[in-house]
Amino acid sequence: MINQTQYPEFGVLLVDDEASFLRSLSITLERSGGITHIHRCNDSREVMGILECEHIGLVLLDLTMPHLSGQQLLELITEQHPDISVIIISGLNQIESAVKCLQQGAFDYFVKTSEEGRLIEGIKRAIRMQEMRRENLALGQRILNNSLESPHVFEPIISRSHQMRAVFQYLESVAPSNQPLLICGESGTGKELLAKAAHQLSKRSGPLVSVNVAGLDDNIFADTLFGHQRGAFTGAERSRAGLIEEAAGGTLFLDEIGDLSMASQVKLLRLLQEGEYYPLGSDRPKRIRARVIVATHQELQQRQADGSFRRDLYYRLCTHKIHIPPLRQRKDDLPLLLDHFLTQAAAEIGKPVPGYPPELPLLLSNYHFPGNIRELRALIFDAVTQHRSHLLSMEVFRQVIGQNIETKESTRGQPSESLATFNPEGPLPTLAQMDNLLVEEALKRADNNQSLAARLLGISQPALSKRLKKSRPGE
């Protein structure tokens, strides 16, 4: 079985008839590029057999070899394994040879004497392209089949929303990637649950290490993530490993990344770009061995515009990006969440699971939930704590939700935040027509529950009945 902590997920095959060069290149890739999933071959006749047996995604190929030349192998690989990328690393610095290889389908061409940094970056670029291609294929297949390979991973996330199912399918596709994952969404939508699911799906052997970076100043941020050597600063009596080292082989989850200071953003950008960091007080770099997942409730594009978030860091973070829809856009999930939190609250408090009035889901569906799922959970736990009879009281919900959906005397006559718009070329509706439209819309939203519809309109239930008798005289 492949060690899931290796990078990349697929194998990189090095092909050269010089065993010493293969050893040297392997060490360079591991130390400078963090590339550890390496296969080596010094006999060109064995290459096609290796490709049949092993999970190879990238081949680094020499041109001048006995038996089968690199040119011949390139032709065979592109013909029989078009899904595998090939990079030529040759001792020949010939433009004609390089052009011919690129025309045959090689991803890139390097000379063995090329600068090490440029070679590593070219290989990493090929790995990223291969990862994206594989992720797109996997995502397309899941969407086509409308399937999830690991539905059990998402069981803690209570949802039957089509939007969330699409999020789950995307997450399954990108979970094995070593590239950063950005999770966006309002507070209370469940970003940490998705980070846990991504870690579990990645099957990494290391732990999930989480830290909320909001409010950390630059020094604390660096010490928390990078660690320090003994004597690095006053009070540093012993060396301490940072969270990056603790997350080795696993996932590092940085929550509230939008609140990171500009100085800390620079440090995080360098970590992601270079794949290495320096513990405080050390002049020896360490390589990051963890996948980075970040989350924020902030609008990062807006923060870029006002200059408080670096554009280059944003684009480095959003290689893979997920947006969690707010609860108000997932009203179908309300009944599931209501039952789930009622059961959870009753178990924690030691009470039987209470029933609830049939109008409760209707009341909840007409509330916008600024605190999202976290707010819903708090409301339900509060209601279960206070209830004394077999049926859950509506009072807790009315106190919070009713204040937000009723039209208050103090705000009557003030314009709404989202006014109805009319066709400027058409006739203006009469007040009587608008009255009827409002009543019908309120009844629709309340599923014909007149008590709730009256509350939505800010009038009493008898007043609503009176209006209905006028507008529906035959009923």
Side-chain angles (χ1 to χ4, degrees):
M1 180 181 291
I2 294 171
N3 183 350
Q4 293 293 336
T5 62
Q6 290 182 311
Y7 172 67
E9 184 225 354
F10 51 82
V12 177
L13 176 60
L14 315 184
V15 184
D16 197 298
D17 61 311
E18 297 180 23
S20 59
F21 177 74
L22 288 178
R23 285 194 299 272
S24 173
L25 182 57
S26 296
I27 293 170
T28 299
L29 294 180
E30 289 186 29
R31 289 183 177 175
S32 301
I35 301 167
T36 57
H37 196 172
I38 296 173
H39 300 259
R40 295 186 294 193
C41 176
N42 62 359
D43 188 335
S44 58
R45 294 170 296 184
E46 299 175 0
V47 170
M48 300 309 293
I50 294 173
L51 297 185
E52 291 290 343
C53 300
E54 301 289 346
H55 181 50
I56 303 295
L58 175 63
V59 177
L60 307 184
L61 185 62
D62 185 27
L63 278 186
T64 309
M65 295 182 292
H67 310 301
L68 284 174
S69 70
Q71 202 93 42
Q72 291 172 303
L73 274 176
L74 174 60
E75 186 175 345
L76 287 171
I77 294 171
T78 53
E79 179 184 331
Q80 297 180 27
H81 300 278
D83 56 325
I84 296 177
S85 299
V86 179
I87 290 180
I88 303 297
I89 303 181
S90 172
L92 302 174
N93 188 6
Q94 297 178 357
I95 294 177
E96 183 180 345
S97 175
V99 170
K100 190 172 181 180
C101 289
L102 295 173
Q103 288 174 337
Q104 278 187 274
F107 180 84
D108 213 335
Y109 185 107
F110 292 95
V111 180
K112 288 183 177 179
T113 55
S114 295
E115 182 184 338
E116 181 181 295
R118 194 168 72 86
L119 173 62
I120 294 293
E121 188 53 44
I123 294 170
K124 281 189 169 183
R125 185 166 58 248
I127 290 173
R128 286 195 294 269
M129 291 293 290
Q130 186 68 272
E131 286 178 333
M132 290 174 65
R133 189 189 67 80
R134 289 169 177 241
E135 288 156 12
N136 288 337
L137 286 173
L139 178 59
Q141 193 62 42
R142 287 186 178 91
I143 292 174
L144 184 64
N145 298 333
N146 194 26
S147 63
L148 291 173
E149 288 185 3
S150 305
H152 62 281
V153 173
F154 301 103
E155 286 177 0
I157 305 172
I158 310 301
S159 178
R160 64 183 176 198
S161 158
H162 294 300
Q163 294 169 290
M164 290 303 293
R165 187 173 183 84
V167 168
F168 297 161
Q169 290 172 330
Y170 178 78
L171 195 61
E172 280 193 336
S173 300
V174 304
S177 171
N178 206 51
Q179 298 302 312
L181 169 65
L182 171 62
I183 303 175
C184 300
E186 296 177 7
S187 294
T189 50
K191 296 186 287 294
E192 188 168 357
L193 285 177
L194 268 191
K196 289 178 180 176
H199 172 70
Q200 192 174 345
L201 288 166
S202 73
K203 299 179 182 175
R204 297 172 188 270
S205 59
L208 170 67
V209 177
S210 304
V211 58
N212 189 319
V213 299
L216 296 184
D217 66 28
D218 184 47
N219 290 331
I220 296 176
F221 173 80
D223 186 32
T224 301
L225 260 64
F226 306 149
H228 62 255
Q229 297 281 28
R230 180 182 177 185
F233 51 83
T234 303
E237 298 179 356
R238 63 181 64 184
S239 298
R240 186 184 65 79
L243 295 185
I244 295 175
E245 192 168 336
E246 288 184 22
T251 303
L252 177 65
F253 175 50
L254 306 178
D255 201 5
E256 300 301 350
I257 198 72
D259 295 321
L260 206 57
S261 70
M262 291 298 287
S264 295
Q265 289 178 36
V266 174
K267 289 182 169 63
L268 179 59
L269 176 63
R270 186 183 183 282
L271 173 71
L272 297 175
Q273 282 181 333
E274 307 297 331
E276 62 182 28
Y277 63 97
Y278 289 86
L280 298 182
S282 172
D283 57 359
R284 292 187 177 182
K286 291 187 174 183
R287 291 211 62 81
I288 180 171
R289 304 291 182 186
R291 200 265 183 95
V292 176
I293 297 179
V294 300
T296 182
H297 72 279
Q298 305 269 12
E299 290 289 344
L300 292 187
Q301 286 158 321
Q302 178 59 43
R303 298 211 66 194
Q304 290 176 56
D306 62 28
S308 57
F309 200 85
R310 293 181 64 97
R311 187 179 299 271
D312 48 3
L313 176 57
Y314 172 75
Y315 285 111
R316 179 64 68 171
L317 290 172
C318 71
T319 304
H320 303 304
K321 181 179 177 182
I322 287 175
H323 176 76
I324 308 178
L327 183 55
R328 61 182 172 275
Q329 295 176 9
R330 298 161 44 195
K331 293 297 179 72
D332 287 348
D333 288 342
L334 280 170
L336 290 176
L337 290 165
L338 176 58
D339 291 338
H340 172 74
F341 289 136
L342 281 174
T343 303
Q344 192 180 76
E348 286 193 18
I349 298 169
K351 292 182 176 181
V353 179
Y356 52 83
E359 61 267 30
L360 178 56
L362 292 171
L363 181 66
L364 295 175
S365 69
N366 283 282
Y367 181 52
H368 65 290
F369 284 102
N372 291 288
I373 297 171
R374 186 182 294 127
E375 181 182 8
L376 174 64
R377 182 183 185 276
L379 276 175
I380 294 172
F381 268 66
D382 191 24
V384 172
T385 303
Q386 296 184 40
H387 103 280
R388 295 291 180 269
S389 63
H390 67 284
L391 200 64
L392 196 68
S393 170
M394 295 273 287
E395 189 56 34
V396 171
F397 301 96
R398 286 198 183 106
Q399 286 177 357
V400 176
I401 296 176
Q403 293 172 4
N404 289 275
I405 66 174
E406 289 181 358
T407 305
K408 301 175 187 176
E409 288 295 334
S410 60
T411 59
R412 279 183 182 168
Q414 295 183 8
S416 169
E417 289 183 5
S418 55
L419 294 171
T421 57
F422 305 98
N423 183 355
E425 298 178 3
L428 194 67
T430 65
L431 287 175
Q433 288 172 328
M434 286 302 300
D435 187 281
N436 291 338
L437 285 171
L438 279 171
V439 168
E440 293 300 326
E441 179 64 22
L443 286 168
K444 179 181 175 183
R445 293 190 182 194
D447 199 20
N448 287 317
N449 182 301
Q450 291 190 21
S451 177
L452 181 57
R455 195 174 295 118
L456 291 171
L457 292 168
I459 60 177
S460 67
Q461 202 274 330
L464 176 60
S465 296
K466 197 173 186 181
R467 289 170 185 266
L468 287 173
K469 287 177 183 177
K470 287 183 181 179
S471 62
R472 304 174 178 177
E475 295 185 12

